Amino acid sequence: MTKINPEFSKTIKKYGAFDLNACFNCGTCTAICTLSNEDNSFPRKMVRASVLGLEEKINLSVDPWLCYYCGECSETCPKEANPGELMMSLRRHLTAVYDWTGISKILYNYWIAYIIGFVLVAAGVLTIGWSKDFDTHKVMHFGHLFEIIILFSVAFTIILPNIVRMYYLTVLKKKRKIPISLHINKLWDLILHMFTQKQSLKCDTGKLQWFEHLLIVTGYLTLLLTTIFLNWFSTENIFIIIMGYFGSLAVSFFTPHFVFNRIRKNKEMNKFSHPTDWFFLIWLFLLGFTAITVRVFVDLDMIENNLWIFLIHITILAQWAMIIVPFGKWAHFIYRPFAIYFN
């Protein structure tokens, strides 16, 4: 029996800007969407499920993740119901559904919780610095170990369990019998979509935006590799140093373009910004900018008397890794390719 949650429209409203009551089921969004086909009335199916309060159906679906928010459905909607933003809101909702800790829901519904979290993390970093007598070598050595601890702790205690929960909801709970061989054969598709987001090329938003996104992802992963696994701030290996500069420059150079687009609201996908969208972009920029600043200070032999810049960087990194990565918009980087894989 299908369960209906009459309060669902109020619940989902907290996750974005749209008007469910404006939709009169004309189907224009489905007619314009490149993802729509004979088997899937996209995104109309999710719009109707939201209007009717079919929360369980939405929680078991991967459809919201297949949408890359090109904005055409919202642009052509005759009633300005904004189905594109609804799909974005459903992705935020599903992030909270998958999260076993319940923290995502709090952060998405109360942006002030983000600020509190950032302050607590900053206080923790300063406490660590104080415990090390603000000795540059001790703090930077511990900072490197701290990065590794955070990475694996978040990955194995939060992200991995959430993906397992996502798999349970979208595959196992539907009692679909999928052979192990298919799981293995499709792993390459999972990796390909995770690193290239190539499905976004189906949108008419242009290849330039996709290429910029690819450079940011490549830069971010390169920065992650060099700083955490190759100890970029301490190495003298010229190849690793160049890799680190590329990663941090790619992140800090291209991210502002996405920030300016949201400020200008020059595209449909940028007209409505949730606070978490801003936190994601700003902290990603700060992550790259502070990383390259630390390395410049190291190369100029100035880091010894300027430990403050490293403390700022490690604070940004800790806030990013402990709050934005597992509970914010970064999680879309993981959930979307897995949704395509499960689909």
Side-chain angles (χ1 to χ4, degrees):
M1 180 180 294
T2 302
K3 296 181 180 180
I4 295 177
N5 179 5
E7 299 297 316
F8 182 69
S9 60
K10 295 180 181 178
T11 299
I12 200 64
K13 187 72 175 178
K14 297 177 181 179
Y15 291 92
F18 55 88
D19 187 1
L20 280 176
N21 295 324
C23 176
F24 63 102
N25 201 27
C26 68
T28 302
C29 56
T30 294
I32 198 70
C33 184
T34 57
L35 293 176
S36 184
N37 54 49
E38 294 180 357
D39 300 322
N40 194 354
S41 179
F42 201 98
R44 186 183 184 186
K45 183 171 68 176
M46 286 292 98
V47 175
R48 294 307 299 164
S50 300
V51 170
L52 296 174
L54 303 179
E55 182 178 6
E56 185 176 8
K57 181 177 181 178
I58 291 171
N59 292 350
L60 301 183
S61 176
V62 297
D63 278 12
W65 296 109
L66 306 183
C67 168
Y68 274 84
Y69 203 166
C70 65
E72 288 186 323
C73 57
S74 294
E75 288 177 349
T76 56
C77 179
K79 297 293 289 183
E80 298 182 357
N82 205 353
E85 183 62 22
L86 170 62
M87 297 297 282
M88 182 71 247
S89 301
L90 291 177
R91 289 192 287 276
R92 297 180 187 121
H93 163 74
L94 289 176
T95 299
V97 170
Y98 304 150
D99 178 24
W100 69 269
T101 68
I103 295 175
S104 292
K105 184 176 182 179
I106 296 173
L107 294 176
Y108 272 121
N109 291 331
Y110 307 99
W111 65 266
I112 193 66
Y114 258 96
I115 305 301
I116 295 173
F118 287 154
V119 170
L120 291 176
V121 170
V125 171
L126 288 175
T127 301
I128 292 173
W130 175 77
S131 69
K132 302 295 179 181
D133 299 319
F134 292 105
D135 180 275
T136 302
H137 295 290
K138 290 181 180 178
V139 172
M140 291 189 69
H141 176 70
F142 183 82
H144 179 59
L145 295 177
F146 186 56
E147 291 174 333
I148 298 174
I149 292 170
I150 290 178
L151 173 68
F152 286 99
S153 297
V154 170
F156 287 102
T157 64
I158 300 175
I159 294 177
L160 184 59
N162 288 352
I163 293 173
V164 171
R165 178 169 170 76
M166 179 187 184
Y167 181 75
Y168 168 74
L169 290 172
T170 60
V171 180
L172 296 182
K173 198 169 184 179
K174 294 180 179 180
K175 298 181 179 179
R176 293 176 176 175
K177 296 181 179 179
I178 303 175
I180 298 297
S181 60
L182 187 60
H183 284 76
I184 298 173
N185 292 337
K186 290 295 180 179
L187 275 176
W188 171 245
D189 286 340
L190 168 65
I191 297 171
L192 185 65
H193 282 286
M194 183 174 294
F195 295 116
T196 68
Q197 304 286 314
K198 71 184 186 74
Q199 186 162 297
S200 65
L201 289 171
K202 293 182 179 180
C203 296
D204 293 329
T205 52
K207 293 183 179 180
L208 178 60
Q209 180 168 306
W210 171 82
F211 185 64
E212 285 181 323
H213 186 273
L214 179 64
L215 285 175
I216 290 176
V217 170
T218 304
Y220 170 72
L221 293 175
T222 302
L223 184 60
L224 186 72
L225 172 66
T226 54
T227 54
I228 295 181
F229 296 103
L230 302 179
N231 202 3
W232 183 43
F233 296 140
S234 299
T235 187
E236 294 182 1
N237 185 300
I238 188 64
F239 180 70
I240 297 175
I241 293 174
I242 293 173
M243 283 179 60
Y245 272 116
F246 162 76
S248 54
L249 279 171
V251 169
S252 56
F253 182 80
F254 289 101
T255 305
H257 185 220
F258 288 86
V259 174
F260 294 148
N261 285 340
R262 288 198 174 274
I263 293 174
R264 293 196 301 262
K265 300 182 179 181
N266 58 342
K267 296 180 181 179
E268 190 66 38
M269 68 178 72
N270 298 323
K271 288 184 177 179
F272 302 97
S273 296
H274 192 274
T276 55
D277 296 329
W278 292 110
F279 289 137
F280 172 77
L281 288 173
I282 293 171
W283 256 253
L284 181 57
F285 166 76
L286 291 174
L287 188 66
F289 181 75
T290 57
I292 197 171
T293 304
V294 170
R295 184 64 221 195
V296 168
F297 272 62
V298 170
D299 290 337
L300 296 176
D301 292 325
M302 295 171 58
I303 195 67
E304 185 71 34
N305 298 319
N306 291 279
L307 180 61
W308 59 272
I309 187 60
F310 180 77
L311 288 174
I312 291 176
H313 170 70
I314 206 69
T315 298
I316 295 296
L317 185 143
Q319 292 166 338
W320 172 264
M322 298 173 70
I323 299 176
I324 296 176
V325 166
F327 309 118
K329 191 171 182 178
W330 185 95
H332 294 197
F333 172 75
I334 290 292
Y335 294 141
R336 193 191 299 274
F338 269 99
I340 296 172
Y341 175 58
F342 296 156
N343 191 53

